Amino acid sequence: MREFLRSTRRSMTSSGLLGLAIVLTVVVCAVLAPTIAPHDPAQHNLRMRVLPPMWLDGGTAAFPLGTDQLGRDVLSRLVHSARVSVIVGTLGTVVALGIGLVLGTVAGYFGGAVDAVISRVLDTFMAIPFIILALAVIAVVGPQRGASGVVLLVVVLGVSGWADFARVARGETMAARTLLFVESARALGQRAGVILIRHILPNIAAPIIVLGALQVGTVIIAEASLSFLGLGIQPPAVTWGTMLADGRGYVATAWWLATFPGVAITLTVVGSVLLGDWLRDALDARSR
Amino acid sequence: MLPYILRRVLQMIPPLIGLTVILFVLLRIGGEPVAHLVRPEASPEEIALVRAAYGFDRPLVEQYVRQVSRIIVGDFGTSVRFRSPALPLVLERLPATLELTAAALLVALLVALPVGVLAAVYRNSWFDFIVTITTTVGRGMPNFWLGLMLMLVFAVQLRWLPASGRDEPLAVVLPAVTIGVSIATVLVRVLRTAMVEALGHDFVRTARAKGLRTWTVVTKHALRTSLISVVTVIGLQTAWIIGGSVVVEEVFAWPGSGRLMLTAVLARDLSVVMAGVFVFALFVMVINLLVDLSYSWLDPRIQYA
């Protein structure tokens, strides 16, 4: 572990640091949203409708990024939106990672008919665009409100996004399977489950973790897209996607409503991508 | 070549079967669709009658086989909203989607080829640095938001281009640029890496040594071998591109299959949704087939037995 930390420090590049800083900021916003947001994100204030950001004429420091068509504070809504993105982004990735890891390692380890079946399923899921599959599931189940809406999105995005994890886990397991200590463990008569968890999993963890860091960004964009289309998180819950959907109608009159949520999404995803790229380089360097 | 194509087409059958299973399971998650077919106050006998009429009382395997046999002849059921068969509805809007996808690909290549090549030739220059930053930001940008921003600038502020629809010939520009730019951010990175590697190869040094002009070496020798990775990435990205274009179609009110599918999802018009999923997945498979076939054309060393 100490060795890992040392190599981590050595290879911590400026872009990796930037990514880490962005991701930490978003997570802090998500956790402390009620404390750091200057206003209640749902507070209507009809006298303060459609105020521009503070640096423009008519803007006020009380609403640094302006207000929307109902007089709600844009900054507070942005900060609160981080919650849904962080929760859906991480849990959606964890679900996808879990499904992909189990199916991929099983296919790679046992090979034969098991591999053939899982691989065909994999081919099928690779051919269906992520968002389109998610749309189809939502069409059948219907968009949900409140907490069950978040659960639905996590499940939908997890079930639609596992294919990449399974593909990588399968390939890595097939390679790890031929390692000498895995073969000896098998020769000693250890059970497949034990070998998979004790010996193979630690050896295939690195690429899976990297893929996970990158997938968080993909899931966040997918959540934003679905919420933007009115099929994800439902109002009154606030997310960057629903903010964009609201702001879309005011593109001509209040540009900030459709601009800031997009900046927030872009920054967050870039942060997780930079972190993922850095993780990949760091873990590569360690194995070299 | 022909046997290879045949084998490759046959390989598409298992995923297609998988697709029909997924569609069947999906339709079943929502429960039996009987509820939509009977009056709310229907008696148990009436419900049983309707179930029998639609075959819901048969074993699941038999229902699945029946569904597959209908899909094979292109029957996905009737759209609740349009009151006409679902598949033709999707197919008649497909040309608009294909037009947009092709235009987007054109934009992507027009941007990515020169930028990627120049970034590789002048690597570690300020140009390369700016390209790296731009593509990193581009990776994080949701393309529907980029679309909104382009619409804000070029349609609302400058009034150069139409904001939505497909009535004017120029209407394709904004949605195509939106999708094209997001493809290009990926392609530039891949092309740059491949070009940097290719420029270090012996055959490039030989070409330089025999006195060819730099530009000829770069375009004729290095670029040609690098195109393989570009095409591979286009293939890998197809599913992602198609998914993203659905949202962009909605932003620009582009009357394609994607937008039709979205309105069908909102109206819970399941036959159209399922037909849409099927058509899009088939489209992705065909593109991947074409990508595989293009390899031997791009690199004559690759031969298919």
Side-chain angles (χ1 to χ4, degrees):
Chain A
M1 190 65 198
R2 190 173 294 162
E3 177 56 33
F4 173 72
L5 283 178
R6 196 176 302 141
S7 70
T8 305
R9 257 197 301 276
R10 257 207 313 275
S11 59
M12 192 84 214
T13 56
S14 49
S15 64
L17 269 177
L18 181 64
L20 188 65
I22 295 174
V23 170
L24 282 180
T25 310
V26 175
V27 171
V28 167
C29 282
V31 175
L32 300 178
T35 324
I36 54 178
H39 299 271
D40 177 349
Q43 177 74 52
H44 294 199
N45 190 340
L46 293 183
R47 280 185 304 143
M48 295 289 178
R49 273 185 317 193
V50 216
L51 288 183
M54 58 185 279
W55 59 88
L56 292 179
D57 274 352
T60 143
F63 302 99
L65 297 181
T67 59
D68 69 3
Q69 70 281 9
L70 296 172
R72 296 173 297 194
D73 179 39
V74 170
L75 178 63
S76 304
R77 290 174 73 73
L78 281 181
V79 170
H80 274 269
S81 296
R83 306 194 128 184
V84 171
S85 290
V86 168
I87 292 175
V88 173
T90 19
L91 292 185
T93 303
V94 167
V95 170
L97 192 150
I99 301 175
L101 195 59
V102 169
L103 290 179
T105 46
V106 165
Y109 185 78
F110 292 104
V114 179
D115 182 31
V117 170
I118 294 180
S119 293
R120 293 298 83 76
V121 177
L122 191 57
D123 286 348
T124 311
F125 272 86
M126 297 283 279
I128 310 178
F130 186 57
I131 293 203
I132 288 184
L133 185 58
L135 281 176
V137 178
I138 292 172
V140 173
V141 185
Q144 308 285 316
R145 282 175 185 281
S148 54
V150 175
V151 174
L152 174 68
L153 271 191
V154 166
V155 172
V156 163
L157 296 175
V159 169
S160 323
W162 59 274
D164 279 334
F165 290 102
R167 192 169 49 81
V168 172
R170 175 176 172 272
E172 295 285 325
T173 305
M174 282 165 81
R177 197 172 175 272
T178 61
L179 294 176
L180 207 54
F181 65 87
V182 176
E183 280 188 14
S184 356
R186 209 168 39 225
L188 285 170
Q190 281 201 325
R191 280 185 303 152
V194 177
I195 297 179
L196 276 177
I197 293 172
R198 273 240 199 96
H199 302 301
I200 294 197
L201 197 56
N203 274 289
I204 66 168
I208 298 285
I209 292 172
V210 172
L211 197 58
L214 298 174
Q215 176 92 345
V216 170
T218 311
V219 174
I220 288 178
I221 290 187
E223 181 272 318
S225 311
L226 292 175
S227 298
F228 173 75
L229 297 169
L231 295 163
I233 303 294
Q234 302 293 309
V238 50
T239 79
W240 295 325
T242 53
M243 288 179 76
L244 282 175
D246 284 346
R248 185 185 168 190
Y250 297 86
V251 162
T253 49
W255 56 266
W256 56 93
L257 294 181
T259 305
F260 295 133
V263 174
I265 300 172
T266 307
L267 268 178
T268 309
V269 178
V270 167
S272 68
V273 165
L274 289 178
L275 202 58
D277 282 353
W278 164 72
L279 267 177
R280 185 182 54 212
D281 297 344
L283 293 169
D284 259 7
R286 204 163 57 101
S287 61
R288 229 181 263 137
Chain B
M1 194 69 184
L2 196 64
Y4 175 78
I5 298 179
L6 268 178
R7 196 153 39 103
R8 200 51 194 69
V9 169
L10 287 178
Q11 276 173 3
M12 283 166 62
I13 293 177
L16 277 175
I17 295 175
L19 190 58
T20 58
V21 176
I22 291 176
L23 293 184
F24 184 73
V25 172
L26 263 180
L27 284 170
R28 280 304 139 131
I29 293 175
E32 285 184 1
V34 178
H36 310 292
L37 299 168
V38 295
R39 295 174 293 131
E41 64 275 17
S43 65
E45 290 78 25
E46 272 181 86
I47 293 177
L49 219 64
V50 173
R51 286 190 69 202
Y54 283 87
F56 294 133
D57 57 340
R58 312 299 305 166
L60 277 181
V61 174
E62 191 185 320
Q63 292 187 38
Y64 167 71
V65 170
R66 271 172 38 137
Q67 185 185 315
V68 171
S69 53
R70 291 216 315 266
I71 287 179
I72 288 174
V73 294
D75 177 11
F76 283 85
T78 308
S79 159
V80 188
R81 209 161 64 99
F82 293 93
R83 303 196 179 282
S84 65
L87 188 63
L89 286 170
V90 176
L91 291 181
E92 74 195 24
R93 285 163 182 77
L94 196 59
T97 296
L98 293 181
E99 179 192 328
L100 180 55
T101 315
L105 208 54
L106 185 70
V107 171
L109 291 174
L110 283 179
V111 174
L113 288 182
V115 172
V117 168
L118 288 175
V121 172
Y122 300 106
R123 63 179 167 282
N124 301 328
S125 65
W126 60 267
F127 177 77
D128 187 24
F129 182 67
I130 292 174
V131 168
T132 307
I133 291 186
T134 316
T135 51
T136 307
V137 174
R139 273 165 92 188
M141 203 181 279
N143 59 5
F144 66 93
W145 180 64
L146 176 65
L148 277 178
M149 292 297 106
L150 290 176
M151 189 192 272
L152 172 64
V153 174
F154 293 101
V156 176
Q157 302 283 343
L158 300 172
R159 296 178 181 282
W160 286 354
L161 293 161
S164 61
R166 195 197 175 200
D167 301 329
E168 301 160 66
L170 279 179
V172 75
V173 174
L174 282 182
V177 168
T178 303
I179 303 171
V181 164
S182 50
I183 307 173
T185 55
V186 184
L187 293 189
V188 165
R189 288 159 40 86
V190 174
L191 183 59
R192 181 190 174 279
T193 315
M195 280 291 292
V196 167
E197 200 199 322
L199 287 171
H201 276 315
D202 285 345
F203 67 85
V204 171
R205 208 172 39 189
T206 311
R208 275 198 222 274
K210 71 182 184 189
L212 289 181
R213 280 183 308 157
T214 311
W215 202 237
T216 319
V217 177
V218 168
T219 50
K220 288 260 169 65
H221 294 76
L223 182 59
R224 176 91 189 242
T225 47
S226 306
L227 280 181
I228 294 242
S229 14
V230 172
V231 170
T232 304
V233 170
I234 292 180
L236 285 174
Q237 294 277 314
T238 312
W240 180 241
I241 297 167
I242 298 287
S245 68
V246 169
V247 192
V248 174
E249 277 189 10
E250 166 61 24
V251 169
F252 289 99
W254 185 259
S257 319
R259 190 154 179 263
L260 171 77
M261 204 182 134
L262 274 181
T263 48
V265 170
L266 284 165
R268 304 192 66 182
D269 193 351
L270 293 184
S271 347
V272 175
V273 174
M274 297 305 151
V277 174
F278 194 84
V279 168
F280 280 124
L282 195 63
F283 184 60
V284 172
M285 288 180 200
V286 170
I287 295 284
N288 279 312
L289 172 68
L290 295 179
V291 165
D292 279 1
L293 295 181
S294 72
Y295 286 152
S296 69
W297 174 69
L298 283 169
D299 187 346
R301 285 174 301 186
I302 301 175
Q303 291 291 331
Y304 296 110

